[in-house]
């Protein structure tokens, strides 16, 4: 498969030499490394954050959700802004915002402060991913671009893989605040490299067009409404006026967004991009990964600590079985493509791994040995890793280089937007099913009451505090009941995730049918 773009690309930077390109790639990859490391590492720290701040399930969920929602809201905006003002300026602004937000998170005194800093960090992370991918697409071409995007996927996978273990070690050794302090230090190094990046990127003055403020605002409002509806569904009730109103508002705002974008000379999203079904199909691959992999990345650590009794360090080490393939598989996929394996074949294999892996993860139980669940975790991780980076490069080959920032922004909007939605859906579904289990069984334990509050606390992974809150006479027996209820809810939600992945795989297969990515036929 050819790695050349199908449209005229910006001139590759040859006059600056390999040194300038290498420095640019290193700076972009370090920033890209921090973002997924932050997501996976924060998940491991959640139980300690909850215990330290005495946070309920809702505010605790928003430690993860605030980052993902902000990332989803602003990735598309940053991609469009980068094409207008310059990709290096937008990238540097995002790195600076992320560094400041991470420092604020390390100094947070309560969970609401932490939620706010995580939202700000998500805004910066959106610029890093969308502008970083656009910078790589601008600086490199041909086989060098393919190798650069393979590194992009590998480094993102490394962030995912190392995040849980590093966070577990930091939480046990120094406290959860250092999880965020490390991110700030890494982004400081990236900011020091920005002048070198600016020299390496050719003609990065931007188009000079005006930012689509109205379209950007409408898109952000739509994403906030949608994710808030999903997050609050389990607490307000899925049929409550508040949740139904949020969903209805999402539809109305998205319709207004489409109408505005069709009339803009420089829209935040050129809707003509969506007419290429193969581009859309490739952009949906990360959506399947969000439901099949990212949900496990976020909530499996809580299952390991709450149900199986592992501490944070042990949970982080166990998570390496899930995350290690994300580190190794992008480079493997790039090597297979260079040896003639069709990229779309690897995409389909990755999707199959997600479905099979999620189904096999139902082998998890309170007493399951690590060896029993090792293969399902590795297969699920491979489902994420085989398409990471590969999808980005293939999708951007289909797009006019002048719209590379916008296209990368759209791809990463679907990636992180779907992660926000998938994580919110998982959390709400788990809380809903767990509440049902607790309400059905709480009457069998003397003194136990407050089923709703107990279920909310248990869903956050703190079973010991939930048992104390219940007032049960025999707290140890009630804690075992909660562990069994959590285990049952976990398995129910897993079946649902596998079904969602299977449906997405079918849609993607239809969209990608009929020609290789990168062709214009």
């Amino acid at each position: 498969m050819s790695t050349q773009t199908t449209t005229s690309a910006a001139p590759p930077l040859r006059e600056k030499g390999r040194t300038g390109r290498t420095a640019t790639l290193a700076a972009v990859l370090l920033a890209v490394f921090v973002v997924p490391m932050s997501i996976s590492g924060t998940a491991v720290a959640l139980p300690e954050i909850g215990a330290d701040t005495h946070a309920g399930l809702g505010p605790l969920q928003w430690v993860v959700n605030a980052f993902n929602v902000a990332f989803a809201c602003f990735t598309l905006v940053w991609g469009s802004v980068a094409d207008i003002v310059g990709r290096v300026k937008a990238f540097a602004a995002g790195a600076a915002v992320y560094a400041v937000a991470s420092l604020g998170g390390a100094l947070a005194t309560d969970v609401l402060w932490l939620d706010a800093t995580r939202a700000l960090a998500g805004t910066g992370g959106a610029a890093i991913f969308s502008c970083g991918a656009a910078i790589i697409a601008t600086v490199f071409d041909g086989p060098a671009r393919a190798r650069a995007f393979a590194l992009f996927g590998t480094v993102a996978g490394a962030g995912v893989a190392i995040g849980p273990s590093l966070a577990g070690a930091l939480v046990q050794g120094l406290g959860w605040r250092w999880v965020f302090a490390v991110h700030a230090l890494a982004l400081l190094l990236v900011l020091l490299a920005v002048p070198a990046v600016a020299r390496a990127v050719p003609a990065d003055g931007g188009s000079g067009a005006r930012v689509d403020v109205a379209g950007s605002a409408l898109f952000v409002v739509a994403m906030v409404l949608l994710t808030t509806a999903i997050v609050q569904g389990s607490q307000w009730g899925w049929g409550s006026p508040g949740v139904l109103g949020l969903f209805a508002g999402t539809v109305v705002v998205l319709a207004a967004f489409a109408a505005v974008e069709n009339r803009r000379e420089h829209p935040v999203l050129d809707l003509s991009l969506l007419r290429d079904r193969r581009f859309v199909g490739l952009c949906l691959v990360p959506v399947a990964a969000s439901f099949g992999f990212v949900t496990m990345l976020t909530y499996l650590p809580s299952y390991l600590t709450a149900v199986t009794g592992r501490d944070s360090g042990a949970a982080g080490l166990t998570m390496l079985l899930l995350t290690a393939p994300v580190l190794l598989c992008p480079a493997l996929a790039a090597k297979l493509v260079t040896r003639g394996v069709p990229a779309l074949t690897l995409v389909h294999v990755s999707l199959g791994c997600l479905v099979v892996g999620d189904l096999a993860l139902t082998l998890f139980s309170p007493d399951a040995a690590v060896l029993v669940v090792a293969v399902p975790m590795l297969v699920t991780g491979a489902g994420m890793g085989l398409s990471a980076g590969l999808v980005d490069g293939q999708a951007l080959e289909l797009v006019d280089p002048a719209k590379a920032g916008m296209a990368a922004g759209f791809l990463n909007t679907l990636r992180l937007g779907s992660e926000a939605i998938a994580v919110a859906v998982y959390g709400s579904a788990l809380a809903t099913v767990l509440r049902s289990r607790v309400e059905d069984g709480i009457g069998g334990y003397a003194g136990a009451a407050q089923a709703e509050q107990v279920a909310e606390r248990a869903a956050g992974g703190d079973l010991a505090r939930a048992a104390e809150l219940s007032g049960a006479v025999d707290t140890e027996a009630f804690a075992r009941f909660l562990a069994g209820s959590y285990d049952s809810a976990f398995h129910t939600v897993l079946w649902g995730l596998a079904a969602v992945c299977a449906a997405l795989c079918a849609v993607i297969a239809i969209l990608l049918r009929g020609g290789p990515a990168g062709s214009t036929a």
Side-chain angles (χ1 to χ4, degrees):
M1 176 177 295
S2 171
T3 55
Q4 299 292 333
T5 58
T6 58
T7 55
S8 59
L13 187 71
R14 294 188 178 92
E15 65 275 13
K16 294 295 184 181
R18 184 175 298 276
T19 301
R21 293 194 295 174
T22 300
T24 297
L25 184 61
V28 170
L29 293 183
L30 177 57
V32 166
F33 173 78
V34 171
V35 176
M37 182 179 72
S38 171
I39 296 171
S40 62
T42 302
V44 173
L46 282 181
E48 284 72 19
I49 292 172
D52 188 34
T53 62
H54 306 291
L57 175 62
L60 195 60
Q61 280 184 328
W62 278 102
V63 174
V64 174
N65 289 333
F67 182 96
N68 288 342
V69 171
F71 198 121
C73 288
F74 288 97
T75 301
L76 182 61
V77 176
W78 276 113
S80 179
V81 168
D83 288 337
I84 295 172
V85 305
R87 293 159 192 174
V88 176
K89 289 180 181 178
F91 176 80
V97 168
Y98 202 119
V100 171
S102 296
L103 181 61
L107 299 174
T109 56
D110 60 62
V111 71
L112 295 181
W113 179 352
L114 182 58
D115 288 344
T117 63
R118 294 299 292 157
L120 187 61
T123 304
I128 288 171
F129 254 72
S130 59
C131 303
I135 287 172
I136 290 176
T138 302
V139 173
F140 296 90
D141 72 339
R145 177 186 286 184
R147 290 192 295 270
F149 272 110
L151 282 172
F152 186 96
T154 299
V155 169
V160 171
I162 294 172
S165 300
L166 177 60
L170 288 172
V171 168
Q172 284 196 315
L174 299 173
W176 62 264
R177 298 177 187 279
W178 277 92
V179 173
F180 305 109
V182 167
H183 304 157
L185 293 173
L187 268 297
L188 177 60
L189 295 177
V190 172
L191 290 171
L192 293 176
V194 166
V197 177
R199 290 191 296 269
V201 177
D204 191 49
S207 66
R210 298 182 64 181
V211 176
D212 180 10
V213 176
S216 300
L218 286 169
F219 185 79
V220 169
V221 170
M223 290 302 302
V224 170
L225 290 175
L226 175 60
T227 312
T228 303
I230 295 171
V231 171
Q232 297 301 132
S234 65
Q235 300 179 40
W236 295 351
W238 291 100
S240 67
V243 170
L244 293 178
L246 288 169
F247 279 126
T250 301
V251 174
V252 172
V253 175
L254 283 177
F257 171 75
V260 168
E261 296 306 275
N262 278 324
R263 294 196 299 268
R264 293 287 180 183
E265 183 179 357
H266 300 287
V268 68
L269 175 62
D270 186 343
L271 298 181
S272 66
L273 287 174
L274 308 184
R275 299 192 187 107
D276 187 330
R277 59 183 175 80
R278 282 163 298 169
F279 175 75
V280 174
L282 288 167
C283 289
L284 287 177
V285 174
V287 177
S290 294
F291 282 91
F293 174 83
V294 177
T295 51
M296 290 296 94
L297 181 70
T298 304
Y299 283 105
L300 187 55
S302 293
Y303 177 89
L304 293 173
T305 55
V307 178
T308 70
R310 291 173 171 84
D311 59 28
S312 296
L317 288 175
T318 303
M319 289 295 291
L320 282 174
L321 291 168
L322 186 70
T323 58
V326 185
L327 171 63
L328 302 174
C329 286
L332 172 62
K335 184 175 293 186
L336 290 174
V337 169
T338 60
R339 293 184 178 181
V341 177
L344 294 188
T345 298
L346 293 176
V347 169
H348 291 308
V349 170
S350 74
L351 294 172
C353 286
L354 289 172
V355 176
V356 172
D358 280 354
L359 289 174
L361 284 174
T362 56
L363 292 172
F364 259 114
S365 69
D367 302 318
V370 171
L371 290 177
V372 174
V373 295
V375 172
M377 293 180 75
L378 290 170
V379 170
T380 304
M384 177 71 174
L386 285 173
S387 62
L390 180 66
V391 164
D392 298 70
Q394 293 293 311
L396 291 182
E397 282 189 1
L398 298 169
V399 178
D400 183 339
K403 299 178 181 178
M406 180 187 296
F410 178 73
L411 171 61
N412 285 296
T413 292
L414 287 189
R415 173 180 279 129
L416 265 292
S418 63
E419 287 183 11
I421 291 171
V423 169
V425 166
Y426 181 100
S428 290
L430 180 72
T432 299
V433 176
L434 182 57
R435 180 181 293 115
S436 176
R437 301 285 193 275
V438 171
E439 288 175 347
D440 290 343
I442 196 171
Y445 296 86
Q450 304 185 82
E452 184 172 344
Q453 292 85 344
V454 169
E456 178 179 339
R457 179 69 67 176
D462 192 352
L463 301 190
R465 194 178 296 274
E468 294 176 2
L469 179 64
S470 71
V473 175
D474 189 344
T475 56
E476 290 187 6
F478 191 74
R480 289 193 296 271
F481 159 70
L482 289 178
S485 299
Y486 194 114
D487 182 59
S488 175
F490 172 80
H491 283 78
T492 299
V493 175
L494 262 183
W495 283 103
L497 291 177
V500 171
C501 280
L504 285 169
C505 290
V507 172
I508 292 167
I510 293 171
L511 291 172
L512 296 181
R513 187 175 56 194
S519 69
T520 57

